[in-house]
Amino acid sequence: MKINREDRSKKLLHQYGRPLLVIFVVFLLVHDVFGTHGFLAMRHKQEEIRKVTTELDRLNKENTVLQKEITDLHTDPQTIRKIAREELGLAQPGEVIIKLPAPAPAEPPAAKP
């Protein structure tokens, strides 16, 4: 009886061993490519990291420009005068401000019926 079981298990292993091994290897490959932490997910995360890094670099440059503007507003009298003239419409004593009307927008040609 014992020999019969051993022979039977060897026969089953010999008969189904390779196909089961191939199925197992295919399953592992599919999991490594399409799984939660697989190749495709890794490529997606790397692309996301690249986008975030690019956005961070852009924001750092913008921050540097804004910090310079803040410093100029606190210390540079020319910058303060420029803003007073352009945005607030102020003038120094003895100056006259002349405001011209904005040009009218061009009208598109009428469509023919």
Side-chain angles (χ1 to χ4, degrees), residues 52-68:
V52 169
T53 303
T54 303
E55 180 69 10
L56 182 63
D57 290 342
R58 186 190 66 77
L59 289 173
N60 282 334
K61 288 176 185 175
E62 183 180 343
N63 193 25
T64 302
V65 169
L66 291 173
Q67 287 293 338
K68 171 130 178 44

Side-chain angles (χ1 to χ4, degrees), residues 2-51:
K2 201 175 208 183
I3 296 172
N4 191 15
R5 281 188 182 176
E6 288 179 12
D7 288 340
R8 188 173 177 197
S9 62
K10 284 182 184 180
K11 186 177 178 183
L12 285 174
L13 183 61
H14 182 67
Q15 185 178 2
Y16 296 112
R18 285 188 181 168
L20 287 175
L21 182 62
V22 168
I23 290 171
F24 182 70
V25 169
V26 167
F27 173 77
L28 287 178
L29 286 174
V30 168
H31 184 268
D32 283 347
V33 172
F34 300 106
T36 306
H37 303 291
F39 179 74
L40 296 178
M42 181 183 67
R43 291 214 30 212
H44 178 72
K45 291 297 180 187
Q46 286 175 341
E47 181 67 22
E48 189 176 325
I49 288 170
R50 187 191 62 76
K51 286 179 183 177

Side-chain angles (χ1 to χ4, degrees), residues 56-106:
L56 182 63
D57 290 342
R58 186 190 66 77
L59 289 173
N60 282 334
K61 288 176 185 175
E62 183 180 343
N63 193 25
T64 302
V65 169
L66 291 173
Q67 287 293 338
K68 171 130 178 44
E69 286 182 23
I70 290 171
T71 303
D72 288 346
L73 286 171
H74 283 292
T75 59
D76 187 19
Q78 288 291 59
T79 303
I80 296 169
R81 279 190 206 110
K82 180 181 175 186
I83 291 175
R85 286 175 185 270
E86 292 175 2
E87 294 181 14
L88 301 177
L90 300 178
Q92 290 185 342
E95 291 182 337
V96 176
I97 297 177
I98 300 173
K99 292 187 177 185
L100 300 174

